[in-house]
Amino acid sequence: MKNRFPRWVFGLLAIGTLVLVPFLYLKPTSTPARQAASHLPIKGAHVDHRDIVKGDFKTGPDVTRACLACHKDAASELMKTTHWTWESRAVNVPWRKEAVTIGKINQINNFCIGAQGNENKCMACHAGYGWEAGKAAQQSKPENVDCLACHAEAAIYNKGLFGNPAPSTDLLAAARSVRATTRENCGKCHFDGGGGNGVKHGDLDESLYFPGRSLDVHMGGKHNMQCSDCHVARKHQILGLMLADNYTIDPAEQVSCEQCHSGKVHQDERIGTHLKAVACQTCHIPAIAREEPTKVAWDWSKAGRKGREDDHYSYLKIKGEFSYEANFAPAYRWFNGNNEYRYLLGDPISRDGPTHINKPAGAIADPNARIFPFKVHTAKQPYDKVNGYLLQPITAGANGYWTNFNWDQAFELAVPVTGLAYSGRYGFTETVMYWASTHMVQSADKALSCDACHSATGKPGRMDWAALGYPGDPIKWGGRKLP
Amino acid sequence: MNKLKHLCVIGAAVLPSAAALAAPSATTHTAKPAPPAAIKTLHPNFALLDAQGTNVLTSGQAVSPMKSCGQCHDTAFIASHSFHVDLGLQSFGSWNKTWHSSPGLFGQWDPLRYRYLSQAGDERLDLSTAGWLMLNGDRVVGGGPATTSRGGKPLTTLKPGAGDPETSLLAANGARTAWQWAESGTMETNCFLCHLEKPDLAARKAAIRDGRFGDASTATLSGLGIVQAAAQGWAWNRAAFTTEGLIDSRKLAIQDPTNANCAACHGEVHEAGDQPLQISACDLDYPQTATTGQVMAAQRMSASAVNLAGKGTLQRAWDVHAERQLQCTDCHHALNNPAHVNDAKGSNPAHLRYDPRTLDIGKYLERPDHNFARGQSAQVHVAPKGKGTMRRCENCHDASASHGNWLPYVETHIKTLACESCHIPKMHAPAIEAVDWTGLAADGQPAKSCRGVDGEPGDVRSLVTGFEPVLMKRTQIDGGALLAPYNLITTFYWVYDDARSGKRPVRLADLRAAYLDGQAHAADIVAAFDSNRDGVVAADELRIDSPQKEAAVKARLSALGLKNVRMEGQVQPFSINHNVTRGKFALNDCAACHRNGSRVDQGMQLAGFAPVTPGFDTANNVSASGDVVRRSDGSLHYRPAPVRDAVYVFGASRIGLVDAFGALAFVGTLLGVSGHGLMRYLAWRRRPHVPLQTRPVQMYDAYRRFWHWLQAISVLALLFTGLVIHRPDIFGAISFPATVTLHNVLAAILVINAALSLFYHLATERMREYIPRPYGFIDDSMRQTKYYVSGIFKGEPHPFEKRPDDRMNPIQKLTYFGILNVLLPLQIVTGALMWGMQRWPEAAAALGGLPLLGPAHSLLAWLFGCFIVGHVYLTTTGPTPLEGIRAMVTGTEEVEVHEQAPGH
């Protein structure tokens, strides 16, 4: 009967609005739920390759050719990345006229020192085969890409000399086992860097294969995150750059907590006031090398002594004397993500104090810098007494130091490989290297609390305020004043 | 003196610059953090003087802090301006005509420790001054009663006599001996105790326990390499002094008092960072923790070594202020400290926010007032001049900023509850529950029960469950009253009448003599108490739960000469102000208080067994308005009665009678209208169906419809939300704070709507329609009533025609008159005052406060409910049942055509 819209509906709507609007404006708010897990990358479904991969594989490149038959772009993608090139992009550094590249391929560190000329041993951690042919030949062939190192079941695939598969490896079984990368794949190289479990990084070691929640909140417990969940890979370009092998790092290429943890992550406003000066890692990584010890000092000068017994944790004839530590507090420095200095082959050593292999950039007045935890590794490594630069010995191979225990020979053999002249006189000098600690993250209940760094009575905590540039404990003196 | 002052000033200038020059340069970086810098102190080196004023290096005597520190600081001023020193001595006397002789530690009888400081004239001696010092001295700073007599003279000038409680001692064998003050020396105010980083408390305690009071201050310096006890006197280590004979201040490490210093006497404070905290539960060597369960530690509870129930979930620090590195002195500061002076309540003019004219730091250091700011705890009579001088929560925190967006009625909550009530939701350490001194075990100890722990308190395997403090009303010094958390400790003890002094507690020595024979119970006691005849009086047998047991003990005590022996008990409240948590862990769920059986009326057990009903200790600012209830298993419980403290909590408090009456009325109305309706239906069925002649009339204009429905929806929603607020335990799924906000929003809408409508009716003179004409009113009402009672069943037409300008029959007019002029205004006023408790507290209190307004509001709500039922039913009395409602929606009503004369 009424063929027009009943007008009383407007009245009803008006009443509804009148009631709801003030209520919604005034009603008590509730806190939003955490959504970090929603930012995890979505991975493709696993495709079982057991029926797909056929054939007899005699060499590593054989397998790669089979992979490339379907995954046509995989090799070319990988060959653009640092896992293949082992060097950074060219960068300009203030102390050199030309641009330089930094990487394991051409620079040194203060662990095993350098890979150049030691390819037969060192390339066991390269994602490629065929280093026996020399660098130019190796790097130019797509079939030298080692797909299995990252994609095969880590337990059944091992690499040997020159990056080639170990002789006992069943390549067919390995090829059939391929799947998305797991911690086992990444850890095979990254947990054992520096020549053994946990030697190098301090926050990456074999305890992360089966971590508990209290070892790492992401990789342990119910989340069981894989490396690729944070180090997201697109077209084989893996997110994340190592401080050791770079000068400046673009934040867009670096893994950061904010990839998943964005917004108001701390309910406690007092913690919120720290975020401009303190990195997430500082409070959430109270200790490094929590379960397995890491190497903190390495004295090459003691290597080669006769009659001294080898012991994994204190002395090896081939390597010298060293010390390990476990579950200790990291060192804290201002850090804005870059290096202030990275030792390049041929750079002069420091004459007052240790030579920095790398030095994190940042200072109290740098608004981009935050206090960040580092593992510090000091070493005594060889240098050229006349030329005044660090030397890279040939250690592996038939004529290397590890066979002949002859430093001079080791340095002579390196001359054509590294391009560094050797004067014939060597010595040992102190070096120091900084490794950013960013794994073995703790959940909120195990993170640092106020009294770890601050103290009302002035007792020293883990922060050396004076070294960081503060006049004293910021609780009493106030925080840094940025320009 | 001047020269030393010079030294102080120069030192103050030189030392900072020296520190700057010595700033560390870039050091070698290692994996470990840089080693701590050597302790620097601003304090100049000074000579340690003995009591005669001679350098101790010369005399080899004990050091006198008063003389040594007195070289720069006015120690006489300090000692006379400190309650820590005075301990009630200045008000010593027959204070309050009770057995307490002062308001302080020296003179208050503490039933927990039981020993009694005897007064002059007492026939028996328990603790003399010397005995009191030997027992309690390690928690006494020195000076005050430790050096001065009750009459104000130095103790050393008194004549020693066994009869004088000031100069005697009760020996272990019960004999009274004279105490030679000249030999033992007296304890001066010991600056070292609080101002050293590492005072040697153990050595000091040993000296005091031995009665060597004169050595107490020097003993405090042991362990620093400065002095050692020698065969005769003290051997001062020359190497610790400078060539001028001054002590190296860095060796002493003089500092402002830290939490560790306060903890030496007061209780559990845990300073060491990573070491898991351990608690000595219910141990009176840690008084604050033992009496309240408070633990001042920055550590997370889940990282401690205590066997806490639910430890994995307790991931917060024991105390948030300790976590944030506040020190005791940040709140309990010296009253003339210029850094804190503007917090002390002064008499600034109203417009002045901050007065920069403060005491010069140098002058302050010369005469620091050691009366520290204190709050308003249950120990309210201690340091009476300092009451309420402390910085309280509101001096640092702005509650409306942090609570404003989630807590309705913020100010009402703040005015009713102390911050601690919600921010100290639970104590996680055990505390003493009851101490029963009416019976002694074979080792001479009383029966002590500990709350918050399952099992023996000292056993590491016992589960520490913690306890929730009871909320009791505390009267502030400004007259206001707040609910605050307390622990209640109940003590039972024997008392007797002293011949001259009145009631006294039975001395421990006498109690021991009555109960024990050497190291075991006396035969009489065993005979009376040993119910299972095993020759041993076990803990559960030791209770005085029968007249025979009481008589047995009474006999033994009377045999010692004690007159009128009887048992008494008291319940003492102990304030809980520490162990504060952040809001996230505080009581932030409305249901904690706003429901039946909430925290507000949650009591606690007073004692597992009570030989006698205790009385409440009323000599404090706590209102013990609740009931002491004895349960069937013999345990004693305290049950709060918040209504007696004029505390009315929505959802928790209610008057059962009001709800019962209201519900009855509502159900009755429902039944009435159902019955009436049923009868109408049956009558309609039996009647021939004659279609009623109707014509459409524009009955209600748009405004009238709008305001009617807005009113109707508001009232219905208000009734429903009101019911949710009144009974939140039934409607647990609905959010309480959201409902409260909705109720307030609707109430505001209702008031505005009603006010506008009232204005409209007055301005347009439509109010006439609501007013029944007095002439012929009774007759017309009777006609209408008769219609409802009989005519309606017969299908008769309505007696009065409904016209747009005369829509209501006489009964309707009367009803609405009552509703709109009585019920609605009353409901609005009670509601507004309930909401306005925070803004106009005097108005609300004048009309009875919440305890009256709340139930009145509930009763009126029930009546409104009845009205709604009746009103909706009566709309069905039109030509068709739904015509009335339809008309109020569309505005046009089908009205019965009347031949009768209109009007009435």
Side-chain angles (χ1 to χ4, degrees), chain B residues 392-451:
Chain B
R392 282 271 316 158
C393 321
E394 54 269 12
N395 292 111
C396 295
H397 297 282
D398 182 356
S400 47
S402 47
H403 296 78
N405 63 339
W406 65 273
L407 183 67
Y409 292 70
V410 174
E411 279 116 44
T412 311
H413 283 90
I414 305 272
K415 279 208 173 53
T416 315
L417 293 165
C419 307
E420 294 93 324
S421 302
C422 296
H423 282 272
I424 308 181
K426 187 171 173 186
M427 309 307 296
H428 287 276
I432 300 176
E433 181 186 82
V435 184
D436 188 352
W437 284 99
T438 58
L440 290 183
D443 58 359
Q445 294 298 318
K448 196 154 90 169
S449 61
C450 216
R451 69 171 84 252

Side-chain angles (χ1 to χ4, degrees), chain A residues 108 113-119 345 389-396 399-401 406-422:
Chain A
I108 60 171
I113 308 180
Q116 293 184 71
N118 296 316
E119 288 83 359
L345 264 188
Y389 45 59
L390 293 174
L391 289 167
Q392 195 235 273
I394 303 293
T395 48
N399 297 321
Y401 181 79
N406 184 336
W407 281 120
D408 281 309
Q409 184 193 32
F411 300 135
E412 293 283 356
L413 287 172
V415 169
V417 176
T418 60
L420 276 185
Y422 175 49

Side-chain angles (χ1 to χ4, degrees), chain A residues 8 15 18-19 22-23 26 28-29 267-268 270 325 329 333 434 444-445 447 450-451 454-457 459-460 464, chain B residues 29 31-32 34 36 197 258 298 300 315 323-325 327 405-406 582 584 706 710 737-738 741-742 746 749 889:
Chain A
W8 56 262
I15 292 174
L18 212 57
V19 172
F23 172 66
L26 292 169
T29 52
Q267 282 223 337
D268 186 343
R270 181 56 78 184
E325 244 190 270
R333 300 281 180 276
Y434 290 86
D445 56 311
C450 317
D451 59 338
H454 296 286
S455 163
T457 52
K459 288 219 175 2
D464 185 345
Chain B
H29 298 302
K32 293 188 177 47
E197 194 196 343
T258 64
R300 291 199 174 100
Q315 290 160 7
E323 186 192 32
R324 306 292 153 115
Q325 304 301 303
Q327 295 281 290
N405 63 339
W406 65 273
R582 274 179 50 222
K584 182 169 158 196
F706 176 76
L710 183 58
T741 308
L742 184 60
L746 290 164
I749 292 173
V889 171

Side-chain angles (χ1 to χ4, degrees), chain B residues 316-331:
Chain B
R316 60 173 176 91
W318 288 91
D319 181 281
V320 70
H321 293 111
E323 186 192 32
R324 306 292 153 115
Q325 304 301 303
L326 266 85
Q327 295 281 290
C328 307
T329 46
D330 287 326
C331 296

Side-chain angles (χ1 to χ4, degrees), chain B residues 339-425:
Chain B
H340 298 297
V341 75
N342 265 282
D343 298 325
K345 296 181 172 43
S347 49
N348 276 337
H351 69 275
L352 196 66
R353 277 206 265 184
Y354 175 75
D355 186 350
R357 299 171 300 174
T358 59
L359 196 63
D360 191 39
I361 289 188
K363 283 268 175 287
Y364 163 66
L365 284 175
E366 199 187 313
R367 293 182 139 191
D369 184 349
H370 275 58
N371 279 320
F372 304 130
R374 59 156 295 203
Q376 304 179 58
S377 69
Q379 283 69 48
V380 70
H381 296 294
V382 168
K385 283 188 277 194
K387 265 190 257 188
T389 47
M390 198 181 76
R391 215 181 251 143
R392 282 271 316 158
C393 321
E394 54 269 12
N395 292 111
C396 295
H397 297 282
D398 182 356
S400 47
S402 47
H403 296 78
N405 63 339
W406 65 273
L407 183 67
Y409 292 70
V410 174
E411 279 116 44
T412 311
H413 283 90
I414 305 272
K415 279 208 173 53
T416 315
L417 293 165
C419 307
E420 294 93 324
S421 302
C422 296
H423 282 272
I424 308 181

